Amino acid sequence: MNNFIQLKPIYSCPAHEIPKEIKLPNGWILSWHQRETYLSLNDSKVDVVINTGMTGDGKTLAGDLDVIVGDSLALKMYPTNELARDQEISAKEYLKQFELEDNLKINRLSGQDLELYAEQEGLKKKAAFKTRAFNSEILLTNPDIFHYLHRGAYLTTYDNPDLLWNKIDKRFDLFVFDEFHVFSAPQIASVINTMLLIRYTNRHKKFLFLSATPDRDFIDRLVKAGFKVKVIDPVAENKYRFPATKAEALKLKNDNWREVSRQITLNFIGLESGSTSSETWLKENSDLILELFAKHPGSKGAIILNSIAAVKRLVPWFTELLEPLGLTVGENTGLSGKEAKSLSLAADLVIGTSTIDVGVDFKINFLFFESADAGNFIQRLGRLGRHDGYEKDGKWIEFDIYTAYALVPNFLVERLFLKDSASLENGQECDRPFFHQVIRNEYRQINDFRGYYSRWGAVQSTKLCWQLGHPRIKHAYYSEGSQEAFRQDCEKIFNTSLKKTIGRIKGWEKEWQQLSGNKSGNPIAEDASSFRGVSCLECGLYDLTETNEADRFKTYVLPGILSNLEIETITKAEFDRLLKATSQKIKTPIPKSRFNYCLGFMKLRNYRESRLDWRFTYQGNLKDIAEAYKVMILTQIQVWQPDNYWISQINKQLKKQALVSYVLPFPVAEIRNRLRLPMHFQIYPISDRNSIHGTIPYSIAFGQSALLIDTLAHWLKSKGGESWIV
């Protein structure tokens, strides 16, 4: 018998007094946190607002009210393009309700959107960016673009460094970061650096962070730099209610409290650890899903897994099972095309990965999900219970139950229900804050890489500080002391010296010149200055399993290809010919700049039924490298996978690559466990000439992952090496 609990519904407190300038559509009621956010954004004593409202409680509207009823313009950033698309639809819908769809323009801008827009309009990217921004009252984009905009990515060496970002920053009054809790230290460091740049070059700007689980360390750093921060926390202010009876719920509704999440039956399915445990369980228990559809007509569900390959195998399996019943199955992963992702929103059963657990608003009433840690568990569970039902063919279909199945390791079930003084009892009723805290206490907590800020955060600062001192623009900011104030705040926030950081950057540059013979370049600094890291292992894919021809051109990392894909290698020239021919055939441009730096090119033929083993190899001896405990640039790295007929072609390219690396003298499983690494953290097994046929004693991380490992390695180091722990 499964262990289960009942999660009580959530009701959000209404705002009892609404500012007179806010005219709501008929039947609308503002929540307490929405009103507080609006007032805080209009408070001259507040620079930064952090709204921690629960998932589904209208944080998006809270951020847009200042645009809707005032004269503010907003640049809004989302961690995934899928979430930006979802929010664009929602925003346009409520602008109709406010009768403002003709007055406020909403546009979306991803890297691919920018490339295509520039190409279609015959513009350079900097001009295309400016044109799109200046035609938007609300611009939806991603923080990657925001990062590279302020690092001069769209400019030439002849342009002033502030040519573009200064105009964009002046245009918008409010900068919004949604789902901010999904970012790691390098991205948070980037945002802090950019906020400081904006503060000292464009006064009186506001920043809004929307996150159900804010990072206290992030808030402390902002306060340390002098930002005036206001946290809107409905839980702490007792602005949620969790009724235990229908009578209590009815009273709350009559008092205008809004139901944010419905009551959920949460079942816990304990599984043995294994890469296919959840996939196997879902197949063996597919009758459970059939029963949900049969007993509760009109139901819609989702399955969220950790592995793209598992999703790709389950989609046809469930399609064959459900299609005869007139039910549709959708797919939503990082390798799914735009069309497939869009169609998945309307499917009866959507199967996906993390692309759907980051904020996308699915109308579902049952959920099966894997998780890897506490935050991941809470995030995925938050997809359920947000809607009363949905409209189909002009008819309203109401959900009658909400149920979830958490596919978790056996040890978690034991900790939650079976150990002495267990936190939960079978069948217990819980409110969300209590349950979330139980999960945080009993489930795996991942590392927050807090040491990254003092170790690497200031590398990004040096580029921005240099920009402020550029001969062609320093006169514009010198009188206000912008460069010096920026430098001081960066040193305060990151607890380091920019002069010392510049010395290290020059040291890396000198080492690179000696290694490569090149007079330019600095791979370590480039990785440390990037937003998500410089991808050195990405490959271009022509996906033959994709039905929509426009979506067949994709990128995917080599380790994922080696483990899960059946491919055929092709040349870059052949890939380019396929792309050009397809674009001409469908009469639609296909973005191509993302393929400029791919390691190799392949046709994706199928997904493997089981993962293949492989490892990286190094031709020399790794002992001294591993015991140095430092970031290095390595060459001559290759892949060992004996049954792979095409690996030699990849190895020819791979061995030429100069890879920013961190090698550790421990196996991957031990590193993951001891350092509490996130689920998809990119660390891999590697052997050297002395260990190719035995146990794999070493692990290697590349790029930004190498920098993150560098902040933790002191936990593993027993001797030797340089320590930068501050």
Side-chain angles (χ1 to χ4, degrees):
M1 177 176 157
N2 297 333
N3 291 284
F4 75 97
I5 60 170
Q6 297 287 347
L7 293 173
K8 297 176 185 178
I10 305 170
Y11 282 77
S12 181
C13 179
H16 296 299
E17 293 182 11
I18 299 175
K20 62 181 183 299
E21 64 270 21
I22 298 179
K23 309 297 182 188
L24 295 172
N26 288 335
W28 282 41
I29 297 171
L30 275 193
S31 293
W32 172 86
H33 74 88
Q34 292 170 332
R35 172 186 178 273
E36 293 301 306
T37 300
Y38 173 78
L39 293 176
S40 297
L41 289 174
N42 284 277
D43 185 345
S44 60
K45 297 177 182 177
V46 175
D47 303 314
V48 181
V49 179
I50 298 175
N51 184 318
T52 70
M54 286 191 175
T55 298
D57 195 16
K59 293 192 292 295
T60 299
L61 178 60
D64 286 345
L65 274 175
D66 203 36
V67 181
I68 291 171
V69 304
D71 56 3
S72 291
L73 306 181
L75 194 157
K76 305 179 68 177
M77 287 154 279
Y78 301 91
T80 68
N81 292 328
E82 287 69 34
L83 180 53
R85 273 191 286 270
D86 182 68
Q87 291 299 314
E88 180 184 28
I89 294 167
S90 299
K92 286 181 176 177
E93 183 58 40
Y94 64 64
L95 283 185
K96 283 183 184 177
Q97 300 289 325
F98 279 93
E99 299 180 352
L100 289 171
E101 68 267 34
D102 296 328
N103 298 351
L104 294 179
K105 297 188 191 70
I106 297 179
N107 286 307
R108 184 164 46 83
L109 191 66
S110 67
Q112 293 183 32
D113 294 331
L114 179 61
E115 180 182 343
L116 292 179
Y117 181 66
E119 188 176 316
Q120 289 165 359
E121 299 296 320
L123 300 171
K124 293 185 182 298
K125 283 187 178 180
K126 61 184 176 185
F129 198 127
K130 182 181 173 184
T131 301
R132 181 59 67 92
F134 276 75
N135 279 295
S136 307
E137 277 72 43
I138 299 177
L139 181 63
L140 311 180
T141 184
N142 53 59
D144 307 61
I145 282 183
F146 189 66
H147 171 94
Y148 290 110
L149 162 69
H150 289 88
R151 274 76 181 165
Y154 307 112
L155 306 180
T156 70
T157 54
Y158 302 104
D159 294 323
N160 287 353
D162 67 343
L163 176 68
L164 189 55
W165 56 253
N166 193 30
K167 292 182 174 67
I168 302 299
D169 293 346
K170 276 186 168 58
R171 165 78 177 167
F172 295 101
D173 310 287
L174 174 63
F175 300 89
V176 182
F177 298 84
D178 200 1
E179 299 283 349
F180 194 64
H181 55 275
V182 306
F183 289 118
S184 188
Q187 293 83 50
I188 297 172
S190 161
V191 170
I192 291 172
N193 274 305
T194 308
M195 288 173 68
L196 288 172
L197 178 68
I198 292 173
R199 179 165 76 170
Y200 289 117
T201 55
N202 282 280
R203 305 295 193 254
H204 312 302
K205 301 298 180 180
K206 300 283 186 174
F207 302 91
L208 172 62
F209 293 87
L210 305 175
S211 173
T213 52
D215 180 357
R216 186 69 242 178
D217 181 64
F218 169 65
I219 297 171
D220 291 343
R221 290 179 190 277
L222 293 181
V223 172
K224 195 174 183 180
F227 282 103
K228 291 166 282 187
V229 180
K230 178 67 178 290
V231 178
I232 312 294
D233 187 348
V235 172
E237 298 295 330
N238 200 28
K239 299 301 180 182
Y240 288 120
R241 293 286 187 276
F242 312 94
T245 67
K246 289 183 179 180
E248 288 178 31
L250 183 60
K251 184 178 186 310
L252 289 170
K253 283 183 180 178
N254 291 337
D255 291 338
N256 292 325
W257 287 64
R258 185 169 62 87
E259 191 172 18
V260 173
S261 181
R262 285 73 191 158
Q263 179 170 309
I264 295 170
T265 301
L266 175 57
N267 301 275
F268 291 83
I269 308 297
L271 300 174
E272 294 293 334
S273 296
S275 59
T276 61
S277 297
S278 296
E279 182 182 354
T280 301
W281 186 90
L282 285 163
K283 287 180 178 179
E284 291 176 351
N285 293 273
S286 57
D287 285 350
L288 190 56
I289 293 176
L290 290 173
E291 186 178 307
L292 282 166
F293 281 119
K295 287 187 175 180
H296 308 280
S299 286
K300 283 181 175 283
I303 297 172
I304 307 178
L305 302 177
N306 299 333
S307 163
I308 290 178
V311 170
K312 291 285 188 177
R313 291 189 292 264
L314 283 176
V315 166
W317 200 91
F318 275 101
T319 299
E320 185 177 341
L321 183 72
L322 297 177
E323 219 171 41
L325 305 177
L327 299 169
T328 57
V329 178
E331 172 199 311
N332 200 314
T333 75
L335 275 179
S336 305
K338 281 185 182 179
E339 184 180 59
K341 288 176 180 175
S342 178
L343 291 173
S344 74
L345 297 172
D348 297 300
L349 177 66
V350 58
I351 308 176
T353 56
S354 55
T355 54
I356 60 174
D357 67 42
V358 182
V360 176
D361 195 15
F362 283 91
K363 295 177 180 178
I364 58 172
N365 66 312
F366 71 83
L367 172 69
F368 293 76
F369 67 101
E370 281 185 304
S371 57
D373 54 71
N376 187 238
F377 185 106
I378 294 167
Q379 179 79 19
R380 291 182 173 181
L381 179 60
R383 300 306 96 210
L384 182 64
R386 296 158 63 116
H387 296 278
D388 290 325
Y390 61 97
E391 192 173 301
K392 183 177 182 181
D393 300 329
K395 180 183 176 183
W396 177 254
I397 298 173
E398 188 155 330
F399 296 137
D400 60 353
I401 63 152
Y402 298 87
T403 187
Y405 288 81
L407 311 178
V408 297
N410 282 323
F411 75 79
L412 180 60
V413 175
E414 292 170 4
R415 288 180 185 175
L416 293 175
F417 294 97
L418 305 177
K419 72 174 185 179
D420 292 340
S421 303
S423 301
L424 299 177
E425 294 180 6
N426 204 26
Q428 178 178 344
E429 280 195 323
C430 303
D431 63 45
R432 282 337 141 82
F434 168 79
F435 175 66
H436 290 173
Q437 192 56 52
V438 167
I439 289 295
R440 292 188 189 103
N441 291 342
E442 301 294 352
Y443 206 0
R444 182 174 180 262
Q445 289 284 340
I446 62 171
N447 209 302
D448 63 6
F449 301 102
R450 194 163 297 187
Y452 185 92
Y453 300 103
S454 57
R455 179 81 158 127
W456 295 98
V459 177
Q460 296 182 5
S461 310
T462 58
K463 174 68 183 288
L464 299 181
C465 197
W466 173 85
Q467 284 189 130
L468 291 175
H470 190 280
R472 292 202 296 269
I473 69 167
K474 66 179 181 180
H475 63 279
Y477 307 110
Y478 182 77
S479 62
E480 299 176 9
S482 296
Q483 186 184 34
E484 179 59 19
F486 177 84
R487 181 191 65 77
Q488 289 179 5
D489 276 349
C490 288
E491 292 186 341
K492 199 181 299 179
I493 285 179
F494 299 124
N495 194 26
T496 191
S497 156
L498 287 200
K499 184 176 180 181
K500 184 179 177 183
T501 303
I502 290 169
R504 289 191 173 123
I505 292 171
K506 288 180 177 177
W508 302 328
E509 183 178 40
K510 185 176 179 181
E511 288 177 7
W512 166 244
Q513 290 173 355
Q514 291 172 348
L515 175 69
S516 66
N518 296 334
K519 294 183 179 179
S520 62
N522 190 338
I524 293 177
E526 288 163 13
D527 259 307
S529 300
S530 67
F531 189 73
R532 299 189 201 242
V534 179
S535 181
C536 54
L537 298 176
E538 207 149 74
C539 298
L541 291 182
Y542 178 65
D543 187 354
L544 294 171
T545 70
E546 176 66 61
T547 54
N548 182 22
E549 288 186 82
D551 290 337
R552 285 184 176 174
F553 298 89
K554 306 170 181 180
T555 59
Y556 199 43
V557 290
L558 179 62
I561 294 169
L562 293 168
S563 298
N564 297 308
L565 307 189
E566 293 180 7
I567 66 98
E568 168 194 339
T569 56
I570 56 177
T571 63
K572 184 180 188 307
E574 186 177 352
F575 186 88
D576 290 342
R577 282 195 297 271
L578 283 167
L579 191 148
K580 184 177 180 181
T582 302
S583 181
Q584 290 173 344
K585 178 183 176 183
I586 63 176
K587 297 180 181 177
T588 302
I590 298 172
K592 50 185 177 291
S593 62
R594 58 198 157 134
F595 303 114
N596 288 346
Y597 303 103
C598 284
L599 179 66
F601 296 88
M602 306 157 186
K603 288 182 180 179
L604 168 54
R605 297 201 168 276
N606 214 335
Y607 293 84
R608 299 187 182 280
E609 285 300 316
S610 57
R611 292 172 61 91
L612 283 189
D613 287 336
W614 61 275
R615 71 185 71 163
F616 285 110
T617 63
Y618 181 68
Q619 292 184 354
N621 190 330
L622 284 175
K623 185 175 185 297
D624 291 341
I625 292 172
E627 291 180 355
Y629 287 95
K630 62 182 291 189
V631 175
M632 296 183 180
I633 299 174
L634 298 180
T635 58
Q636 301 297 312
I637 289 176
Q638 298 186 61
V639 171
W640 181 85
Q641 194 176 38
D643 297 329
N644 187 329
Y645 71 92
W646 51 262
I647 199 62
S648 60
Q649 297 172 58
I650 286 293
N651 279 336
K652 285 178 185 177
Q653 298 300 319
L654 186 58
K655 69 187 296 187
K656 300 175 190 174
Q657 301 293 313
L659 303 175
V660 175
S661 310
Y662 203 109
V663 179
L664 287 164
F666 303 96
V668 168
E670 183 176 348
I671 297 294
R672 285 193 175 279
N673 184 47
R674 290 175 63 181
L675 297 185
R676 297 184 291 116
L677 299 180
M679 173 174 54
H680 292 305
F681 192 88
Q682 297 179 356
I683 188 164
Y684 310 107
I686 185 168
S687 57
D688 62 7
R689 66 187 181 197
N690 299 320
S691 57
I692 188 67
H693 296 299
T695 305
I696 309 171
Y698 301 106
S699 302
I700 189 166
F702 300 109
Q704 196 174 87
S705 296
L707 309 188
L708 289 167
I709 286 292
D710 181 60
T711 70
L712 302 175
H714 65 293
W715 294 107
L716 302 169
K717 183 167 60 171
S718 58
K719 60 180 180 179
E722 171 196 7
S723 176
W724 279 9
I725 304 305
V726 178

